Amino acid sequence: YLKISKLALAFAIIHSKPPGKSSKEYTEHLAKTVSEQDFGWKWKVEVLEAEVLRLRQELLLNRICPRFSLENNTSAESLLNRESINPTSYSSQLEDSGCDVSNDSAFDSLGIASDFHQSEHNGKVPPLNLCHSSKEQSLTAPVQFLQHLLEIRKLSEGGILQADFSELENDSFTICNSVSLLLDGLTVFYNNPTFPVSNFLTEAVCVLVSLITDTKLSNHVLKKCFKKLEEFKKNLIQIILRNSSVNRFQALHSVSQTLILLGRNNVLRNSLISLLLSEIRQFAEQLLQAHQVQSVYDITQYENIFPLCTILEQLLHNETEESNISSSDYEGEEKIKFLKNLDQIILHLSDEFPLFSLYLWRVSVLLNSAQMQ
């Protein structure tokens, strides 16, 4: 039946083809027309799905706090005017390699951490800027929704509004979908970053970090989106390891600072430490093997392993400073594997790779000091 159908279709195309066009050209034309129609339907479906999600977000916000009104938010026109009058200004950012990151107190070259600290100090989330690029467009709806959640949280904490956040348990789809879209959008940006970074993307990271560090909202988010957050962290780690661009250091620095900010949540920090221990241990073993047999090793990956070591060291340092936090969650298989034969690895690599050996030793000291507490 299938062969007969194909043969009938071929004859129909041959008989109906316009003059001056070959059967092959006419077939390609028909195939392109059909594919364009399919693309049109897919686009319509995506638009409808986005509208359904927006309505569900609005409904959930209304259930959490019926008195919360979106009408007083800044209009699109004023936001656009503000962007045109006061565009993104990162004078310290360079469009070259971004190697000039001398001011560690600034925390990162994108201004993410400084904006986040300022929002913590003021007790409110940074204002949302509307986006213009297609890369940012997909982030608009989830960032707006999650920012409204944080606004309600702050207002309810101050006694201005009464809010019932238990409603988040009754609508796991909306919160999961919103967080997933935000993480996917950030992953797309970090895979192909552009500098200088817009205020909107900086604020998107601030919203994510505020969400996972909020005492009331973080439990709801982790309960429903833990796997997605784990996937996001793994993607960021791989972005650091696999980036072979000559002009990559500013981008790697921004990814590193985002991972450190995610480590502000205790649950995410413990799992992130385990992931980093695993990656660094595997690389150290591969480097030792290559060194012993005098084979070629990946110099790019060697350069990229240092940001992971820095992230791990920062997280472990924060861990030891917080006496109320137990490190037992990651004192499992990964920690045992990392410390096993570490002294021998450092001994064999110290002459050829002194800097990497020093990093391994510093991490081991922090791990052992956490164990002694």
Side-chain angles (χ1 to χ4, degrees):
Y1 177 78
L2 183 60
K3 290 180 179 179
I4 294 173
S5 300
K6 288 181 177 179
L7 187 60
L9 177 61
F11 274 113
I13 291 174
I14 292 171
H15 283 296
S16 62
K17 72 179 181 67
K21 229 176 199 181
S22 68
S23 298
K24 181 181 179 182
E25 291 173 343
Y26 187 51
T27 303
E28 291 174 349
H29 168 72
L30 292 175
K32 182 179 179 181
T33 303
V34 172
S35 64
E36 287 176 352
Q37 291 176 351
D38 288 343
F39 179 78
W41 281 110
K42 289 179 182 178
W43 180 79
K44 289 179 181 178
V45 169
E46 290 175 357
V47 170
L48 291 173
E49 287 177 343
E51 179 63 15
V52 169
L53 178 60
R54 187 192 66 80
L55 292 173
R56 293 189 66 150
Q57 290 170 342
E58 190 174 331
L59 180 61
L60 180 57
L61 290 173
N62 188 260
R63 286 176 178 172
I64 293 173
C65 183
R67 289 182 56 197
F68 183 74
S69 173
L70 305 180
E71 295 176 358
N72 293 328
N73 287 342
T74 309
S75 65
E77 290 79 7
S78 62
L79 281 172
L80 288 171
N81 290 335
R82 187 180 68 182
E83 275 291 306
S84 60
I85 296 172
N86 188 21
T88 307
S89 57
Y90 291 108
S91 56
S92 61
Q93 289 185 16
L94 304 177
E95 296 190 17
D96 59 348
S97 65
C99 295
D100 185 16
V101 192
S102 57
N103 186 5
D104 292 337
S105 63
F107 207 69
D108 80 325
S109 59
L110 302 187
I112 293 173
S114 57
D115 286 351
F116 178 70
H117 290 314
Q118 184 178 1
S119 67
E120 274 189 325
H121 179 73
N122 297 334
K124 60 184 180 180
V125 183
L128 178 67
N129 293 326
L130 292 183
C131 54
H132 302 280
S133 70
S134 58
K135 189 180 291 185
E136 299 169 353
Q137 189 64 44
S138 60
L139 292 176
T140 306
V143 170
Q144 284 179 334
F145 167 68
L146 297 173
Q147 190 175 50
H148 290 326
L149 274 181
L150 291 166
E151 289 171 355
I152 293 174
R153 170 77 174 93
K154 292 297 181 182
L155 292 172
S156 64
E157 190 179 41
I160 300 173
L161 290 175
Q162 293 293 325
D164 181 14
F165 288 100
S166 63
E167 288 291 337
L168 291 174
E169 299 283 353
N170 303 325
D171 191 357
S172 60
F173 171 83
T174 301
I175 185 71
C176 282
N177 213 337
S178 300
V179 174
S180 295
L181 288 173
L182 173 57
L183 297 178
D184 289 341
L186 290 174
T187 303
V188 169
F189 165 74
Y190 283 127
N191 268 308
N192 188 23
T194 54
F195 295 96
V197 179
S198 70
N199 285 328
F200 179 81
L201 284 165
T202 301
E203 290 163 5
V205 176
C206 290
V207 167
L208 174 63
V209 175
S210 297
L211 187 70
I212 63 173
T213 54
D214 187 277
T215 53
K216 281 191 176 180
L217 297 179
S218 61
N219 290 333
H220 294 286
V221 174
L222 290 176
K223 197 179 297 182
K224 299 172 177 62
C225 310
F226 183 75
K227 289 184 178 180
K228 188 68 180 182
L229 285 164
E230 288 294 290
E231 180 186 340
F232 179 62
K233 291 187 297 183
K234 291 177 182 178
N235 287 336
L236 294 189
I237 290 174
Q238 291 306 313
I239 287 172
I240 292 176
L241 284 175
R242 295 176 181 175
N243 196 323
S244 58
S245 171
V246 175
N247 215 24
R248 67 185 181 273
F249 298 105
Q250 188 177 13
L252 295 187
H253 183 71
S254 64
V255 178
S256 300
Q257 299 307 323
T258 299
L259 283 169
I260 291 174
L261 287 173
L262 291 176
R264 285 172 165 266
N265 180 280
N266 298 327
V267 177
L268 295 180
R269 176 169 55 191
N270 289 331
S271 62
L272 180 55
I273 288 174
S274 295
L275 287 172
L276 293 170
L277 286 172
S278 176
E279 290 291 346
I280 295 172
R281 173 186 59 80
Q282 291 178 44
F283 177 79
E285 293 174 351
Q286 293 169 5
L287 187 62
L288 176 61
Q289 184 178 3
H291 177 63
Q292 289 175 337
V293 300
Q294 295 298 307
S295 63
V296 179
Y297 65 93
D298 189 343
I299 184 64
T300 299
Q301 193 172 19
Y302 177 77
E303 293 174 349
N304 292 345
I305 201 67
F306 288 101
L308 296 189
C309 293
T310 303
I311 296 168
L312 179 58
E313 188 175 351
Q314 180 68 54
L315 294 174
L316 291 173
H317 183 70
N318 294 342
E319 184 88 6
T320 55
E321 285 185 342
E322 299 179 17
S323 57
N324 61 325
I325 303 299
S326 172
S327 59
S328 60
D329 290 340
Y330 63 87
E331 284 182 355
E333 185 178 356
E334 287 304 330
K335 181 177 178 180
I336 294 173
K337 285 182 179 180
F338 185 87
L339 293 175
K340 183 180 180 182
N341 300 326
L342 184 63
D343 291 338
Q344 290 297 318
I345 293 175
I346 294 174
L347 179 63
H348 286 92
L349 295 180
S350 57
D351 289 338
E352 189 74 22
F353 307 99
L355 183 59
F356 181 56
S357 300
L358 177 62
Y359 269 92
L360 290 177
W361 175 78
R362 286 163 58 168
V363 169
S364 68
V365 169
L366 288 169
L367 285 172
N368 290 323
S369 64
Q371 187 176 11
M372 293 173 61
Q373 287 184 349

